[in-house]
Each structure stands twice: as structure tokens, then as C-alpha cells.
């Protein structure tokens, strides 16, 4: 979109930084043309404005909305993450004041891409511009690097020998099988690396951002370590070759073992110097090595067509012959390693190294293009080189040759056996005695012998080993640096610091150097090499699994631009990689898996606070969605009943005891949902809800409570709770119990608040909920304590228990999620070991069994396991034994393991007179004192105050009132020292029992009790059964 001309605007508009607010636009609409309206017919074809103007950010139309642009999406993380330059929903939807001094978004080109990169900060005046970091394309950065890492000493020293053992046909099969695994892995890498912007960290970055920190972190650590040890392996391979040359010329420095150490340390020090010089010098060194290997390979091919000299013929080389090709086409197994899978395990490491380009992803110009293109091209050209080498050398060199010029004979001589007889050479004797020193089966340096100039092959070996060592020396610190920055493991952050324009991990280089030198000094890596191969295979398996897992989760965020991959091929590649691990060395595979599992367990235990949008998160959502939908198809059964609680906590941190109590018996068992009613203007409270929700969730997580949090904005508490009761939950995962705190200050709050509180209980029963009401002697609401801790002068607007159900946050509550999560965790009785106390259940009325079930679930938890559970039921004094036996029999059929049952024959006895007077004093302020007038008169007197108690209601409910007084006396007698008291909640008939009388019952029943009191009432439907079906 080209920049369009706009009319000249007054200076006032310039202060808006190129953006109108809604109020400005409304002013324009209401006032006709308004102060900023263009001249008649002007449109956007007037004067050009520099910077970000309305016409350039829209399309010539004066609106707050902006056109799609790159910077709006750069570095976005979470859903709803606000981006620079894009107006918020409030800007578009609400009426706002004109913003003064807001910063304008960066200017952009017509295609929406910003002039400056989104991560580039503007240069300060007077300072030299920061030099651009070195970036590589797909050839130099990926293809050449991967080819050098794939090519190794096996190309020169082992492939001819494998061809002799397995034959050309099976050698090609071994090559193609190995390449199949690496190609599938390459396709998976290509898919992952094109699914979003790839930063530094290579393999670790790809796996961790796909599968999450658990698997990504473990693989990142062992992959970096494996690369560090691989530096030592390749360096020792180089040192051994140099040592052999010194031995041939009798020029050893000290002795064979110490020579490897000396040469290895010197070599790795030189390589470190090249790496520290910067990626540009390292890339130049790699190109030099690449050219050396290419020259050595051309030198070999030229040698195959040069007519063989007598010396070469004596060593088994006869140029291209169809007979030799035919004989070497089939296998000829020899020695203990003469089997297909043994040779496969020897060759496979030479096909690895495909991650060398991905490992420096942070140094590539465009990783999404370079990694797929370079990796796949490297696999292709190295595969061609392996196939060509095995076919050509198999067509030129016989399997056995003596190397002696005296073995030449006349063609057709008697007693001569073998293919060489037809070429004038008799190798029968050494072949029969298996003492031949030359030939494909015996001489590892066959390529050097065939080549036109032998030393060039030695130079190729040097180039292959040194380039692989250099690639690993660069890869290990780059991967480790990214891992350090993510801080998944302790004590490694020191090595994450970067230096220079490329953010070179100098400290990581030094650590890699120390590890490499340590293993070079061993000078014998045969036991370590299999472990390293298994670590690389582990990475391949997880990369393939990452691609498969991301594909099957159907996440909308999985949109790789590289389309030529298959999720089933990726799964096959992952499985084959694991199988190959065990084929190579089973004990090394077990060690690799053991280390991965240990590191995985550590990250799972620590739970790092990272969010990378991994496929594991997508999978969790898929599983939850599928199971939730599937659950809707299952009919409910009493045996599968679970107490699913909607807990009216308000802000959960205000009522920790209520949260801990419900969280204790629902943990790993059933649904717990903390509800909060925000009372007030919708606009203000919606903002508060958005600001505080994350903080409340983090507080629950920090307290290790497995619960959800939800809030609603309502005009009053009761309507908000009605919303929660009706809308909370999903499918069959819906609450069936309303848990709330007891309203301690019911006598002093406004009558309407009291009416709402009791009305909430009636609403719960109307919606077929059970009710669990909790009272503690010291109260539940700790908001005043929390606020006093923050601000000693804080005074709550009402008594801290003024809102027993939650709902209204205390004044001055911090809206910062981090502050909410970091609040001091209050200790409660439910976090302590209860010891050998008792849990007393007063199952006075049959509510379906909920009064029994909740204490039973509580008693199964570790902190309550030592408590003895006692059950108290009402009965008649002349039938105590029969009633006790009946209850014991019923409990045994419920399999609740409650053995101590007490019958209470004296429930209906008259309470003590002073306790009766206390109850009468309790309800006296709420009495209507109507003198037993008729109902119509009472209703007229009670107009506007329905909580008032008439004399007739006091008289009708006298027996029930006295029962509560008597029950409190019994509770004080039997359960004064209990750990917990559970009582069946009495029910007041709706419309017939005033709210003040009902609260007086609850107050009388539970007053003066030291233990927590849980008043429970089910919905009168069975939650316990003794049937099997």
C-alpha cells in the first residue's frame, strides 16, 4: 500500500502521534466536520505527512483502526499480548479521552514490513552504530557445514572394508537405510524450523519449543555434552592419523599414547582459537576443509580410471572390471563383525551430522529457508558420494591381495584360484590362509592406494576429522548458551553470557574446550563413542517425535511452510532411531535413556515458569477436550459420584482455610472451582477481573491447590452467585456442592446482606446443589490481616467476616498479578498433621450420605489418616442397641470403615435455661413483636423487612430452635477436643423461616466450638451405595 496524501492537519492533532481516539472521532461525527475535518472534497490527496499518519496507517480513511503490519505480530507470546501500534479493543470500543504524548508506531513500508527490524533499538545520537552480526546463507551456513560433519574417517577408512564384507548390494542397502532415517529427520527438522521464527539454540531450541522444556531441556544438555565429547573424538581421530604417519617415519615424539594426547591438545587449542576469532573465520576454515575433501575425492575418482601399475595390481587394484564388480556385488562375511547389523552399526554414525547447520540457527540469515534447503541438499550429496564410492571401489579392487610383486603369473596357470588369476596374479596362498595384507577385506587404506596421489587422501582424512571437530566445537556452546539463558537447570547460567556482535558464548567455548581436553587425555574413546552416537540418535528420535506430535494435536499454530513431510514418516523415523540405538549398543542406549529420564524428572519437579506454546500444551488441551466430550456421553452412576465443589472464596487468598479444606478432599479426585463475585460497575470491575485473575490462579498453584478460578461481575452478591451456580463447569464436570464460609457478622450487617446470604443457600437447594458451610472460631477472612501486614493504617470498610461467601475484595487490594501470587501464604489447620485426634460426624438426618462422604475422603489424606472417625446418630434410649447395630450394619455395607458409632438418646431433652435465654436474646433484635396477630396483619407490618420474626413463627419453630440449643450442648460435651466436627445442616423452609431465625439456628448450633465445624447437607439424593451395579 503506497503512502497516500492527506490534508494538512492542525498542530493539535500532531500531539496525538498520528492516532485519533474515539472521542475525537465522535466529536467529528457529532459536530459535522469538526476541528480536524478535511476541507471540502480534500480526502487524502493533499499534503504528505512524514512519519506515521492516519492515511499511511489505514488506507486514506480517518479511523483508529490500522492496517495489518509486521510489527503488530513480532515477538508475540501469549494470547491477547498487546502489540505496538495496534489499538486495543478499549480504544475501538470505549469512549476515551484524547491521548497526549503517546508514542507513534514505527513507520512502515507499503507491504506492512517495518523500515527497521522489530528488535532493533534506535541508535543514541553521538554513538557509533552497532556493527551488524555475521549471518550465513544456506550454502555456507548449512549445506557445507552438514556435509563436512557427515563426511568423516569412515568415508575413507571403513566404507571400502564394509563394501568387501557386505557386497555392493547390501552396502547400498545399509547406506539407504541410514539415509532413510536421516532424511526423515531432515524433513522433520525442515517442518519444525519453518513453523515460526527460529532463534539461536539449534536442536535444543527446536525440540524444547515443540515438545516443551521437559524433553527439550534434557536433550539440550546431553546434546551439548555429546558435541563437546565429539570434539575430542574427531580430534583423537586426527591425532591417531598423524601418529601413524610419525610411526612410519620413526619420528615419534614420546610414545604412541602420549603422542595422541600432545597432538590432540595442540590441535583442539588451534581449533578453539579459530572459533574464538569469530564465526566468519570459522566459516572460512570450514570452506577450506570442504575444498580439501573435494580435491581428495576427485583425486580418488581420477585414480580409478588411471591404468593400474604393477605395485597397485599386487595390492588388488585392476581398474574397472565387470568381473570384480560381479564378485563384490554379493556379500562375503568374515570375522566377528561379519554380519549385516554389525556393519550397519559401524556405518550409521557416518550418516549422522545433519544437525550441524541447525545448531547455529542464530547465525543464519533466514533459518526457515536455510535449514530445510541446506540440510536436505547435504543429505543428498553425501548419499551420492557414499553410493559412488562403494560402487567404484567395489568394481576396481579385489577382496584379497598379497601386495607382493612375486605373485604375478601367466594367465591360465594351473593351481591358481580366484578372480585375480584372470588378471595375471596368484593370491591363492594368502587367501586360503587368510594372511593377505591387502585387498578390500584387509587393507583400510584402499582409497589411498587407488587414488592418483596418496597424500591427498591423507589430507582429506585430516579435513574430515578437523572439520567435524570444528563443527562440534561451535555447536556445543551455541546449544548450551540457549539452554543457559532459559535457566531450566541450576548453576549453568554463568555460561550463557554472549560477547560481541554475534553474541559469542566465550565461556561456553572454554567449557567445551575443557571437556574436550579431558577426554583427549584419555586417548581411548572406544567406550565413550557408542554413548555419543546414542545421544545423537536420541535427538533424532525426539525431533521426529516432535514433528509427529505437533501434527496429531491439530493445533492451529502448527502451520509449517515446508509441506513435504509426513507425520507417520516422522513417527516411523522416531521408532527406527530408538531401535538403532539398541542395535548399536544396548547398554549405551539404556544409559542415554536413563540420563534423559533423570533430567526430565528434574524439570518436571521444578516446573520452570516458561510458556513456549509447545505441542504438549496442545496435546493436553486435545485430551481434556476429548475426555470432556466423551464424559458427556456417560450416564451418571452413584458409584462414580464425586463431590465437585463450587467454593465461594472471593479472592482465594482471603479465605485460605476454606480453600485448603475443600482442596484437601478434592485433590486428585474431583473438581474444585473457586468463585469470586465482583460487585460494582461493570466497566471498573471487568478491568479488575482481567488484572487479578492470573494472580489468583498463581496463588492457588503456589499453594499446590488443584483448582480452577472464575469470577463474575454482578450488581449484588446473590445474583452473582446465581450466575456461578448456573454457568460454572463444563458438561459432566459441573459442581454439585456449594461450599462457603459462615457469615459471622450476620447480626451487624445490613438486613439485605443477611437476606442475600440465606437466599444463596435457598438458591443452591433450588438448583439441586448440596451445601457445605464452614465455620472456624477465629473466622475465615484474613484480608484485614493481609492488608495490615502491607499497610498498618488499613481499616476495612466492614468487619472482615462481613462477606462470608467471598465476593467483595477488601479495599486497597493489589491488582498486580505478581503481587497477588507473591502474597504471604497464611498457614491453616488443614496444612498441619492432625495426629491421633477424632473426626466427629453428627449424621442427624439422612441427606443421601454426603455428611459421611466428605469426612471419609478427608480421612484418606495423609495429614488426617491417624484420626479416628466417630459417627453420632440420634435415637431412643430404649432402643439404643438395635439402632446402633442397624447403623453399624449400614456403614459396613457402605465400606466406609467407620467402626465407632454412638447413639444420642438425649437430643430432644430440654436444654439448660441459660442457653435458652441466650438464644432468645439472640433473636430478640429481629422479632416483630406482633402479639400473635393474623397473617395479613403480620405481612403488612413486615412490609420491607422480611427478615423480621413474627411471634407465630417463633412459636411454630420452638421445638426446632430448642433442638439446636441442645445439639450445641452435646457438641460441647462430646467433641470439644475433636480435630473436625461434621454436622448435618438444618434446612429452613423457604418463605416460612425468616433469614434471621435461620441464622440464629446456625449460630446457636456451632457457637463456642474450638474445632472447625462443617455443616453439610446433600441434595437428598444418594451419594453412597452398597450395590455393585
Amino acid at each position: 500500500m503506497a503512502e497516500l496524501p492527506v490534508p494538512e492537519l492542525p498542530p493539535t492533532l500532531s500531539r496525538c502521534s498520528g492516532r485519533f481516539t474515539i472521542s475525537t472521532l465522535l466529536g467529528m461525527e457529532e459536530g459535522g466536520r469538526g476541528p480536524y475535518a478535511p476541507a471540502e472534497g480534500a480526502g487524502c490527496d493533499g499534503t504528505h505527512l512524514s512519519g506515521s499518519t492516519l492515511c499511511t496507517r489505514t488506507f486514506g480513511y480517518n479511523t483508529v483502526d490500522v492496517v495489518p503490519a509486521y510489527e503488530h505480530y513480532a515477538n508475540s507470546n501469549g494470547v491477547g499480548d498487546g502489540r505496538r501500534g495496534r489499538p486495543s479493543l478499549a480504544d475501538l470500543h470505549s469512549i476515551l479521552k484524547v491521548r497526549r504524548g503517546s508514542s507513534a508506531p514505527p513507520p512502515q513500508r507499503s507491504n506492512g514490513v517495518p523500515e527497521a527490524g522489530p528488535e532493533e533499538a534506535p541508535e543514541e545520537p553521538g554513538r557509533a552504530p552497532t556493527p551488524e552480526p555475521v549471518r550465513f546463507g544456506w550454502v555456507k551456513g548449512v549445506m557445507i557445514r552438514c556435509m563436512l560433519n557427515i563426511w568423516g574417517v569412515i568415508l575413507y577408512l571403513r566404507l571400502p572394508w564394509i563394501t568387501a564384507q557386505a557386497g555392493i548390494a547390501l552396502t547400498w542397502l545399509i547406506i539407504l537405510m541410514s539415509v532413510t532415517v536421516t532424511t526423515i529427520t531432515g524433513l522433520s527438522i525442515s517442518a519444525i524450523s519453518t513453523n515460526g521464527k527460529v532463534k539461536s539454540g539449534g536442536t535444543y531450541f527446536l525440540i524444547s519449543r515443540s515438545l516443551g522444556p521437559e524433553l527439550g531441556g534434557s536433550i539440550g544438555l546431553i546434546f551439548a555434552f555429546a558435541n563437546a565429547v565429539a570434539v575430542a573424538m574427531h580430534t583423537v581421530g586426527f591425532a591417531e592419523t598423524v601418529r601413524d604417519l610419525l610411526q612410519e617415519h620413526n619420528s615419534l615424539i614420546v610414545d604412541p599414547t602420549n603422542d595422541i594426547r600432545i597432538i590432540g591438545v595442540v590441535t583442539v587449542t588451534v581449533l578453539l582459537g579459530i572459533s574464538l576469532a569469530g564465526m566468519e573465520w570459522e566459516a572460512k576454515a570450514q570452506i577450506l576443509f570442504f575444498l580439501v575433501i573435494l580435491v581428495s575425492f576427485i583425486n580418488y575418482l581420477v585414480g580409478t580410471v588411471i591404468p593400474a601399475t604393477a605395485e597397485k595390481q599386487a595390492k588388488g587394484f585392476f581398474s574397472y572390471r565387470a568381473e570384480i564388480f560381479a564378485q563384490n556385488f554379493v556379500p562375503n562375511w568374515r570375522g566377528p563383525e561379519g554380519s549385516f547389523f554389525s556393519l550397519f552399526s559401524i556405518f550409521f554414525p557416518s550418516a549422522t551430522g545433519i544437525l550441524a547447520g541447525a545448531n547455529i540457527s542464530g547465525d543464519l540469515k533466514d533459518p526457515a529457508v536455510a535449514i530445510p534447503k541446506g540440510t536436505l541438499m547435504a543429505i543428498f550429496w553425501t548419499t551420492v558420494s557414499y553410493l559412488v564410492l562403494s560402487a567404484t571401489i567395489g568394481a576396481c579392487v579385489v577382496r584379497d591381495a598379497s601386495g607382493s610383486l612375486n605373485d604375478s603369473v601367466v594367465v591360465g596357470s594351473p593351481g591358481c584360484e580366484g578372480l585375480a588369476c584372470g588378471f595375471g596374479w596368484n593370491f591363492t596362498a594368502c587367501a586360503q590362509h587368510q594372511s593377505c595384507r591387502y585387498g578390500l577385506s584387509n587393507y583400510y587404506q584402499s582409497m589411498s592406494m587407488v587414488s592418483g596421489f596418496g597424500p591427498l587422501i591423507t589430507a582429506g582424512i585430516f579435513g574430515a576429522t578437523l572439520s567435524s571437530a570444528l563443527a562440534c566445537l561451535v555447536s556445543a556452546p551455541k546449544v548450551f548458551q540457549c539452554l543457559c539463558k532459559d535457566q531450566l537447570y541450576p548453576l549453568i547460567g554463568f555460561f550463557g553470557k554472549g560477547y560481541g556482535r554475534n553474541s559469542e558464548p566465550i565461556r561456553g567455548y572454554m567449557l567445551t574446550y575443557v571437556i574436550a581436553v579431558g577426554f583427549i587425555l584419555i586417548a581411548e574413546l572406544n567406550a565413550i563413542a557408542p554413548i555419543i552416537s546414542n545421544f545423537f540418535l536420541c535427538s533424532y528420535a525426539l525431533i521426529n517425535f516432535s514433528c509427529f506430535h505437533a501434527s496429531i494435536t491439530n493445533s492451529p499454530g502448527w502451520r509449517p511452510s515446508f509441506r513435504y513431510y509426513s507425520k507417520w514418516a516422522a513417527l516411523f523415523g522416531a521408532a527406527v532411531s530408538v531401535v538403532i540405538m539398541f542395535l548399536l549398543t544396548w547398554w549405551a542406549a539404556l544409559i542415554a535413556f536413563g540420563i534423559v529420564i533423570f533430567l526430565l524428572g528434574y524439570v518436571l519437579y521444578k516446573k520452570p515458569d516458561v510458556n513456549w506454546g509447545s505441542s504438549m500444551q496442545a496435546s493436553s488441551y486435545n485430551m481434556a477436550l476429548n475426555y470432556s466430550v466423551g464424559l458427556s456421553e456417560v450416564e451418571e452412576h452413584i458409584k462414580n459420584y464425586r463431590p465437585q465443589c463450587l467454593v465461594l472464596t472471593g479472592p482465594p487468598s482471603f479465605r485460605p482455610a476454606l480453600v485448603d479444606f475443600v482442596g484437601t478432599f478434592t485433590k486428585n479426585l474431583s473438581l474444585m472451582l473457586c468463585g469470586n463475585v465482583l460487585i460494582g460497575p461493570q466497566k471498573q470491575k471487568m478491568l479488575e477481573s482481567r488484572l487479578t485473575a492470573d494472580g489468583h490462579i498463581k496463588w492457588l498453584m503456589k499453594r499446590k491447590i488443584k483448582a480452577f478460578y472464575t469470577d463474575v461481575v454482578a450488581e449484588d452478591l446473590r445474583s452473582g452467585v446465581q450466575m456461578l451456580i448456573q454457568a460454572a463447569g463444563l458438561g459432566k464436570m459441573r459442581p454439585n456442592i456449594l461450599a462457603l464460609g459462615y457469615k459471622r457478622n450476620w447480626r451487624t450487617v445490613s438486613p439485605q446482606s443477611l437476606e442475600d446470604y440465606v437466599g444463596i443457600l435457598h438458591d443452591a437447594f433450588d438448583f439441586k446443589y448440596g451445601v457445605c458451610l464452614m465455620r472456624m472460631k477465629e473466622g475465615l477472612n484474613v484480608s484485614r490481616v493481609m492488608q495490615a501486614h502491607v499497610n498498618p493504617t488499613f481499616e476495612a470498610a466492614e468487619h472482615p467476616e462481613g462477606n462470608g461467601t467471598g465476593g467483595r475484595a477488601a479495599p486497597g487490594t493489589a491488582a498486580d498479578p505478581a503481587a497477588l501470587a507473591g502474597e504471604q501464604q497464611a498457614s491453616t489447620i488443614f496444612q498441619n498433621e492432625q495426629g491421633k485426634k477424632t473426626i466427629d460426624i453428627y449424621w442427624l438426618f439422612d441427606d443421601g450420605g454426603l455428611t459421611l462422604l466428605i469426612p471419609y475422603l478427608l480421612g484418606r489424606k495423609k495429614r488426617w489418616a491417624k484420626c479416628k472417625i466417630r459417627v453420632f446418630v440420634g435415637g431412643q434410649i430404649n432402643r439404643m442397641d438395635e439402632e446402633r447395630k442397624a447403623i453399624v450394619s449400614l456403614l459396613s455395607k457402605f465400606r466406609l470403615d467407620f467402626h465407632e458409632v454412638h447413639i444420642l438418646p438425649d437430643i430432644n431433652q430440654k436444654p439448660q435455661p441459660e442457653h435458652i435465654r441466650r438464644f432468645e436474646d439472640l433473636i430478640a433484635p429481629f422479632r416483630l413483636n406482633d402479639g400473635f396477630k393474623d397473617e395479613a396483619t403480620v405481612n403488612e407490618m413486615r412490609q420491607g423487612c422480611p427478615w423480621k420474626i413474627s411471634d407465630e413463627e417463633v412459636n411454630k419453630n420452638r421445638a426446632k430452635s430448642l433442638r439446636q440449643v441442645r445439639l450445641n450442648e452435646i457438641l460441647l460435651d462430646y467433641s470439644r477436643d475433636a480435630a473436625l466436627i461434621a454436622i448435618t445442616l438444618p434446612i429452613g423452609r423457604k418463605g416460612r423461616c425468616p433469614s434471621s431465625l435461620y441464622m440464629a439456628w446456625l449460630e446457636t448450633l456451632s457457637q463456642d466450638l474450638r474445632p472447625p465445624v462443617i455443616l453439610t447437607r446433600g441434595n437428598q439424593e444418594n451419594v453412597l451405595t452398597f450395590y455393585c451395579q
Side-chain angles (χ1 to χ4, degrees), residues 565-580:
Y565 73 95
S566 165
K567 59 184 177 184
W568 301 115
L571 179 63
F572 173 76
V576 169
S577 297
V578 173
V579 170
I580 293 173

PDB file of all heavy atoms in Angstrom, residues 565-580:
ATOM      1  N   TYR A 565       6.473 -33.245   4.295  1.00  0.00           N
ATOM      2  CA  TYR A 565       6.748 -34.129   5.431  1.00  0.00           C
ATOM      3  C   TYR A 565       5.490 -34.942   5.703  1.00  0.00           C
ATOM      4  O   TYR A 565       4.399 -34.616   5.235  1.00  0.00           O
ATOM      5  CB  TYR A 565       7.124 -33.323   6.675  1.00  0.00           C
ATOM      6  CG  TYR A 565       5.959 -32.613   7.302  1.00  0.00           C
ATOM      7  CD1 TYR A 565       5.254 -33.187   8.364  1.00  0.00           C
ATOM      8  CD2 TYR A 565       5.532 -31.380   6.836  1.00  0.00           C
ATOM      9  CE1 TYR A 565       4.167 -32.552   8.924  1.00  0.00           C
ATOM     10  CE2 TYR A 565       4.452 -30.734   7.391  1.00  0.00           C
ATOM     11  CZ  TYR A 565       3.765 -31.322   8.435  1.00  0.00           C
ATOM     12  OH  TYR A 565       2.682 -30.702   8.978  1.00  0.00           O
ATOM     13  N   SER A 566       5.649 -36.015   6.427  1.00  0.00           N
ATOM     14  CA  SER A 566       4.510 -36.849   6.803  1.00  0.00           C
ATOM     15  C   SER A 566       4.603 -37.153   8.292  1.00  0.00           C
ATOM     16  O   SER A 566       5.673 -37.516   8.798  1.00  0.00           O
ATOM     17  CB  SER A 566       4.505 -38.152   6.001  1.00  0.00           C
ATOM     18  OG  SER A 566       3.632 -39.102   6.587  1.00  0.00           O
ATOM     19  N   LYS A 567       3.502 -37.011   8.982  1.00  0.00           N
ATOM     20  CA  LYS A 567       3.533 -37.283  10.422  1.00  0.00           C
ATOM     21  C   LYS A 567       3.810 -38.762  10.693  1.00  0.00           C
ATOM     22  O   LYS A 567       4.481 -39.108  11.672  1.00  0.00           O
ATOM     23  CB  LYS A 567       2.224 -36.859  11.072  1.00  0.00           C
ATOM     24  CG  LYS A 567       0.981 -37.539  10.529  1.00  0.00           C
ATOM     25  CD  LYS A 567      -0.278 -36.968  11.171  1.00  0.00           C
ATOM     26  CE  LYS A 567      -1.539 -37.589  10.579  1.00  0.00           C
ATOM     27  NZ  LYS A 567      -2.768 -36.982  11.126  1.00  0.00           N
ATOM     28  N   TRP A 568       3.338 -39.631   9.797  1.00  0.00           N
ATOM     29  CA  TRP A 568       3.566 -41.072  10.013  1.00  0.00           C
ATOM     30  C   TRP A 568       5.005 -41.444   9.684  1.00  0.00           C
ATOM     31  O   TRP A 568       5.591 -42.310  10.334  1.00  0.00           O
ATOM     32  CB  TRP A 568       2.581 -41.887   9.181  1.00  0.00           C
ATOM     33  CG  TRP A 568       1.163 -41.567   9.523  1.00  0.00           C
ATOM     34  CD1 TRP A 568       0.229 -40.986   8.728  1.00  0.00           C
ATOM     35  CD2 TRP A 568       0.529 -41.772  10.799  1.00  0.00           C
ATOM     36  NE1 TRP A 568      -0.954 -40.822   9.405  1.00  0.00           N
ATOM     37  CE2 TRP A 568      -0.807 -41.301  10.677  1.00  0.00           C
ATOM     38  CE3 TRP A 568       0.953 -42.304  12.012  1.00  0.00           C
ATOM     39  CZ2 TRP A 568      -1.702 -41.353  11.734  1.00  0.00           C
ATOM     40  CZ3 TRP A 568       0.052 -42.356  13.067  1.00  0.00           C
ATOM     41  CH2 TRP A 568      -1.259 -41.886  12.929  1.00  0.00           C
ATOM     42  N   ALA A 569       5.580 -40.786   8.683  1.00  0.00           N
ATOM     43  CA  ALA A 569       7.004 -41.000   8.407  1.00  0.00           C
ATOM     44  C   ALA A 569       7.841 -40.518   9.580  1.00  0.00           C
ATOM     45  O   ALA A 569       8.840 -41.147   9.955  1.00  0.00           O
ATOM     46  CB  ALA A 569       7.400 -40.267   7.127  1.00  0.00           C
ATOM     47  N   ALA A 570       7.438 -39.395  10.181  1.00  0.00           N
ATOM     48  CA  ALA A 570       8.160 -38.882  11.344  1.00  0.00           C
ATOM     49  C   ALA A 570       8.081 -39.864  12.513  1.00  0.00           C
ATOM     50  O   ALA A 570       9.075 -40.110  13.211  1.00  0.00           O
ATOM     51  CB  ALA A 570       7.599 -37.519  11.751  1.00  0.00           C
ATOM     52  N   LEU A 571       6.901 -40.446  12.719  1.00  0.00           N
ATOM     53  CA  LEU A 571       6.764 -41.445  13.792  1.00  0.00           C
ATOM     54  C   LEU A 571       7.622 -42.663  13.503  1.00  0.00           C
ATOM     55  O   LEU A 571       8.279 -43.217  14.403  1.00  0.00           O
ATOM     56  CB  LEU A 571       5.292 -41.848  13.930  1.00  0.00           C
ATOM     57  CG  LEU A 571       4.999 -42.900  15.006  1.00  0.00           C
ATOM     58  CD1 LEU A 571       5.355 -42.378  16.390  1.00  0.00           C
ATOM     59  CD2 LEU A 571       3.527 -43.316  14.953  1.00  0.00           C
ATOM     60  N   PHE A 572       7.644 -43.084  12.227  1.00  0.00           N
ATOM     61  CA  PHE A 572       8.488 -44.211  11.835  1.00  0.00           C
ATOM     62  C   PHE A 572       9.960 -43.880  12.087  1.00  0.00           C
ATOM     63  O   PHE A 572      10.718 -44.711  12.602  1.00  0.00           O
ATOM     64  CB  PHE A 572       8.256 -44.533  10.354  1.00  0.00           C
ATOM     65  CG  PHE A 572       9.189 -45.566   9.793  1.00  0.00           C
ATOM     66  CD1 PHE A 572       9.018 -46.911  10.077  1.00  0.00           C
ATOM     67  CD2 PHE A 572      10.255 -45.194   8.980  1.00  0.00           C
ATOM     68  CE1 PHE A 572       9.882 -47.865   9.565  1.00  0.00           C
ATOM     69  CE2 PHE A 572      11.125 -46.137   8.459  1.00  0.00           C
ATOM     70  CZ  PHE A 572      10.937 -47.480   8.754  1.00  0.00           C
ATOM     71  N   GLY A 573      10.368 -42.660  11.736  1.00  0.00           N
ATOM     72  CA  GLY A 573      11.753 -42.253  11.968  1.00  0.00           C
ATOM     73  C   GLY A 573      12.108 -42.263  13.439  1.00  0.00           C
ATOM     74  O   GLY A 573      13.212 -42.657  13.820  1.00  0.00           O
ATOM     75  N   ALA A 574      11.175 -41.832  14.283  1.00  0.00           N
ATOM     76  CA  ALA A 574      11.424 -41.838  15.729  1.00  0.00           C
ATOM     77  C   ALA A 574      11.590 -43.265  16.242  1.00  0.00           C
ATOM     78  O   ALA A 574      12.508 -43.561  17.022  1.00  0.00           O
ATOM     79  CB  ALA A 574      10.282 -41.137  16.456  1.00  0.00           C
ATOM     80  N   ALA A 575      10.704 -44.165  15.787  1.00  0.00           N
ATOM     81  CA  ALA A 575      10.779 -45.554  16.242  1.00  0.00           C
ATOM     82  C   ALA A 575      12.068 -46.219  15.756  1.00  0.00           C
ATOM     83  O   ALA A 575      12.739 -46.937  16.522  1.00  0.00           O
ATOM     84  CB  ALA A 575       9.560 -46.326  15.739  1.00  0.00           C
ATOM     85  N   VAL A 576      12.423 -45.992  14.496  1.00  0.00           N
ATOM     86  CA  VAL A 576      13.636 -46.599  13.946  1.00  0.00           C
ATOM     87  C   VAL A 576      14.869 -46.077  14.673  1.00  0.00           C
ATOM     88  O   VAL A 576      15.820 -46.827  14.939  1.00  0.00           O
ATOM     89  CB  VAL A 576      13.730 -46.321  12.425  1.00  0.00           C
ATOM     90  CG1 VAL A 576      15.095 -46.704  11.887  1.00  0.00           C
ATOM     91  CG2 VAL A 576      12.645 -47.095  11.696  1.00  0.00           C
ATOM     92  N   SER A 577      14.886 -44.794  15.017  1.00  0.00           N
ATOM     93  CA  SER A 577      16.025 -44.226  15.740  1.00  0.00           C
ATOM     94  C   SER A 577      16.221 -44.925  17.081  1.00  0.00           C
ATOM     95  O   SER A 577      17.347 -45.228  17.482  1.00  0.00           O
ATOM     96  CB  SER A 577      15.820 -42.722  15.962  1.00  0.00           C
ATOM     97  OG  SER A 577      15.756 -42.033  14.733  1.00  0.00           O
ATOM     98  N   VAL A 578      15.112 -45.209  17.764  1.00  0.00           N
ATOM     99  CA  VAL A 578      15.207 -45.916  19.050  1.00  0.00           C
ATOM    100  C   VAL A 578      15.710 -47.338  18.837  1.00  0.00           C
ATOM    101  O   VAL A 578      16.564 -47.840  19.591  1.00  0.00           O
ATOM    102  CB  VAL A 578      13.840 -45.909  19.763  1.00  0.00           C
ATOM    103  CG1 VAL A 578      13.879 -46.771  21.016  1.00  0.00           C
ATOM    104  CG2 VAL A 578      13.430 -44.487  20.122  1.00  0.00           C
ATOM    105  N   VAL A 579      15.201 -48.002  17.798  1.00  0.00           N
ATOM    106  CA  VAL A 579      15.654 -49.381  17.508  1.00  0.00           C
ATOM    107  C   VAL A 579      17.148 -49.387  17.198  1.00  0.00           C
ATOM    108  O   VAL A 579      17.899 -50.248  17.693  1.00  0.00           O
ATOM    109  CB  VAL A 579      14.839 -49.961  16.335  1.00  0.00           C
ATOM    110  CG1 VAL A 579      15.447 -51.280  15.868  1.00  0.00           C
ATOM    111  CG2 VAL A 579      13.385 -50.160  16.744  1.00  0.00           C
ATOM    112  N   ILE A 580      17.592 -48.432  16.395  1.00  0.00           N
ATOM    113  CA  ILE A 580      19.018 -48.375  16.035  1.00  0.00           C
ATOM    114  C   ILE A 580      19.870 -48.131  17.269  1.00  0.00           C
ATOM    115  O   ILE A 580      20.982 -48.668  17.394  1.00  0.00           O
ATOM    116  CB  ILE A 580      19.254 -47.280  14.973  1.00  0.00           C
ATOM    117  CG1 ILE A 580      18.576 -47.669  13.651  1.00  0.00           C
ATOM    118  CG2 ILE A 580      20.743 -47.058  14.733  1.00  0.00           C
ATOM    119  CD1 ILE A 580      18.611 -46.589  12.606  1.00  0.00           C
TER     120      ILE A 580
END
